[in-house]
Amino acid sequence: MKLFGSSGIRGITNKEVTTDLALKVGLALGKTKRSAVVGRDPRIAGEMIEHAIISGLLSAGCDVVRIGMVSTPTLAYATKDYDCGVMITASHNPAEYVGIKLWNPDGMAFDSSQQEEIEDCIEIEDFEPVSWDKIGNVSEDANAIRQHTNMILQNVKRSSKRVIIDCGCGAGSTITPYVLRKMGCEVITLNSQPDGYFPARNPEPNDANLTLLKTAVKEFGADIGIAQDGDADRMMAIDEKGEFITGDEMLALFARHECDEGAKIVVPVDTSMMVDDALPSSTVIRTRVGDVYVAEEIKKCNADIGGEPSGSWIFPKISYCPDGIFASAKIMELIESRTLSELKEELPHYPTYRGTVKCDNERKAHVMEVVHSKLDKCGNISDIDGIRVEMDNGWVLVRPSGTEPKIRITAEAREGADRLFSMAENIIKEALN
């Protein structure tokens, strides 16, 4: 059994993630936890899955506090007052997906060993429903967003810049525009009404999905555009010229802003050489792709900052959860005296290609075996996560997605990155034929 991917349990509603599965997760979690806080993003299936997992928790004797529709970072921050937190979300995935992510009181997602305990319990159905008089209590708390907001405002400086915030019709709508206004920003909102169908754009805040935000930044003369995903754990930015700032650039900019000389920075294996070269006195530690694994390593080595080029930024001084709201506030600090485009130009840049090839989950293992055998002759191989091959002039990474039926390819080189990408893509396609 493998329920947890690189970022919790996630799948298509009523097919891969069902009310029966959610009930069992609640029963398994309730075996060892006496209190839980539960939140959800605006997905159509959110309340359905929420009710099922709460039923399991109550049946196991666990008290539950519901905080309603909130961002994942808000839920993670609220977990400090409980034994665990449960977030019903599929993050950046399309509307038909739903998922479950579990949190510890320090804002850290359940680690690998905790996930295995839940999976083992569900696999053998080792549940312990309590007697009728020991069923857990359920209550509601409306203060989570306010508490999260106050924490952020206590840890950032004021800003008077003009910002356009595109919440993507996600849970960030409940908090991000308000945080930025209280910081002193002039805020223009875009797609900031929660809607589980995500009608404005795909929830993932990548370059292709942010056409409207780019246009709006230029039309309104904004200093920056900020975009979030469905649960606001991810955050990306558009500069004042209407140009997308890549995840590698964002990671390097945040690290330079937050870190002193000799800092430790944790990044996944698909991160650009740019980060290493932009912070030459720092130690860059690479780990598996997935904010859970990045957070684990940050905690293990007491790192100063970490994140993923996909838009997850972790500031361990406040939480081990990627916080797209805190990151939105922090980037306003970053551009207070310099424009975002100026800061971007200071970074080293290398040609990078990223893409995906569709691949059914059951075929991923075979494809990766073929990839390993073919790429083994090309350079030094690392198998921390997928297959990463280091060559004199660059590197290429082939990695099966932990949340979708895709295989991801990343290639970066001083010269010939397109050839590296095409080589890996052709190997995958041949293996699928």
Side-chain angles (χ1 to χ4, degrees):
M1 173 174 284
K2 184 62 178 172
L3 296 176
F4 289 86
S6 59
S7 191
I9 297 170
R10 201 177 298 177
I12 295 175
T13 301
N14 282 343
K15 184 177 180 182
E16 295 161 326
V17 178
T18 64
T19 52
D20 182 57
L21 173 60
L23 178 69
K24 290 176 179 177
V25 171
L27 282 163
L29 191 60
K31 277 191 67 176
T32 58
K33 308 298 182 184
R34 294 298 86 197
S35 65
V37 58
V38 181
R40 58 180 171 81
D41 70 14
R43 289 173 187 275
I44 301 304
E47 284 192 274
M48 177 184 76
I49 298 300
E50 179 186 24
H51 287 305
I53 203 164
I54 288 175
S55 294
L57 287 163
L58 297 175
S59 181
C62 180
D63 291 333
V64 174
V65 175
R66 300 177 66 194
I67 59 173
M69 185 194 302
V70 295
S71 72
T72 288
T74 301
L75 183 281
Y77 184 68
T79 304
K80 69 185 186 304
D81 298 321
Y82 304 90
D83 290 344
C84 66
V86 181
M87 183 67 187
I88 312 302
T89 179
S91 193
H92 62 282
N93 286 80
E96 64 269 25
Y97 283 77
V98 73
I100 302 166
K101 197 162 184 179
L102 307 177
W103 297 91
N104 289 299
D106 62 357
M108 170 90 176
F110 270 32
D111 62 24
S112 303
S113 62
Q114 290 176 299
Q115 293 174 5
E116 287 173 10
E117 287 179 12
I118 298 294
E119 289 182 351
D120 290 344
C121 183
I122 292 173
E123 186 170 22
I124 62 176
E125 299 198 353
D126 184 22
F127 306 130
E128 298 177 3
V130 298
S131 61
W132 68 271
D133 55 339
K134 291 184 172 59
I135 290 171
N137 296 312
V138 61
S139 59
E140 296 186 0
D141 185 351
N143 294 315
I145 294 173
R146 177 181 56 80
Q147 291 172 351
H148 188 205
T149 297
N150 290 342
M151 181 276 290
I152 292 172
L153 293 173
Q154 289 166 9
N155 286 278
V156 295
K157 299 173 184 176
R158 289 187 62 80
S159 171
S160 58
K161 299 291 185 179
R162 176 180 290 183
V163 54
I164 300 180
I165 174 68
D166 177 358
C167 296
C169 298
S173 307
T174 65
I175 181 170
T176 311
Y178 306 100
V179 167
L180 296 177
R181 284 197 181 102
K182 287 183 178 180
M183 283 179 66
C185 298
E186 180 185 348
V187 178
I188 300 170
T189 58
L190 185 67
N191 306 321
S192 290
Q193 71 288 352
D195 188 330
Y197 288 99
F198 303 112
R201 63 168 171 84
N202 185 291
E204 186 170 4
N206 60 24
D207 192 6
N209 293 331
L210 301 181
T211 303
L212 188 58
L213 179 58
K214 293 177 189 177
T215 301
V217 167
K218 291 186 288 186
E219 291 291 330
F220 285 94
D223 296 295
I224 190 173
I226 293 174
Q228 295 174 333
D229 66 343
D231 64 334
D233 63 345
R234 292 190 178 189
M235 166 265 175
M236 297 299 287
I238 305 295
D239 70 17
E240 77 285 357
K241 297 178 180 178
E243 295 180 1
F244 183 75
I245 306 298
T246 70
D248 294 302
E249 290 168 338
M250 291 281 289
L251 190 46
L253 290 173
F254 275 132
R256 291 179 74 176
H257 182 66
E258 292 291 307
C259 296
D260 296 325
E261 192 169 329
K264 293 179 183 177
I265 305 161
V266 179
V267 301
V269 293
D270 61 347
T271 302
S272 169
M273 300 181 288
M274 172 195 301
V275 177
D276 306 69
D277 292 354
L279 294 102
S281 67
S282 298
T283 301
V284 179
I285 303 163
R286 283 179 165 76
T287 185
R288 294 177 63 185
V289 174
D291 60 84
V292 174
Y293 308 118
V294 173
E296 280 185 34
E297 190 63 29
I298 290 173
K299 190 174 184 180
K300 177 182 174 183
C301 68
N302 194 29
D304 299 272
I305 195 171
E308 295 191 286
S310 58
S312 300
W313 321 117
I314 302 174
F315 302 85
K317 292 177 183 177
I318 61 125
S319 177
Y320 291 108
C321 171
D323 192 329
I325 300 97
F326 187 75
S328 298
K330 273 290 175 182
I331 204 167
M332 300 311 299
E333 274 189 5
L334 198 146
I335 65 166
E336 190 60 29
S337 58
R338 305 276 306 281
T339 67
L340 193 51
S341 64
E342 288 172 344
L343 294 168
K344 169 186 171 179
E345 288 303 314
E346 292 180 351
L347 300 172
H349 288 86
Y350 311 109
T352 305
Y353 289 78
R354 299 180 190 273
T356 62
V357 177
K358 289 184 179 180
C359 178
D360 293 338
N361 291 333
E362 59 269 17
R363 301 193 66 189
K364 287 178 179 176
H366 165 70
V367 171
M368 292 306 296
E369 286 179 11
V370 174
V371 169
H372 189 285
S373 65
K374 297 279 189 181
L375 292 182
D376 192 31
K377 307 160 189 172
C378 299
N380 296 322
I381 279 193
S382 167
D383 59 359
I384 293 173
D385 188 1
I387 305 297
R388 177 176 167 132
V389 184
E390 296 277 356
M391 294 165 244
D392 291 339
N393 203 39
W395 56 274
V396 62
L397 171 70
V398 179
R399 188 187 72 86
S401 169
T403 58
E404 298 174 87
K406 299 176 180 177
I407 291 182
R408 304 185 186 278
I409 308 168
T410 307
E412 180 181 47
R414 290 171 178 85
E415 291 181 4
D418 56 339
R419 293 194 297 275
L420 289 180
F421 182 90
S422 296
M423 176 185 69
E425 185 180 43
N426 289 335
I427 291 172
I428 295 169
K429 288 180 177 178
E430 288 174 9
L432 286 169
N433 290 334

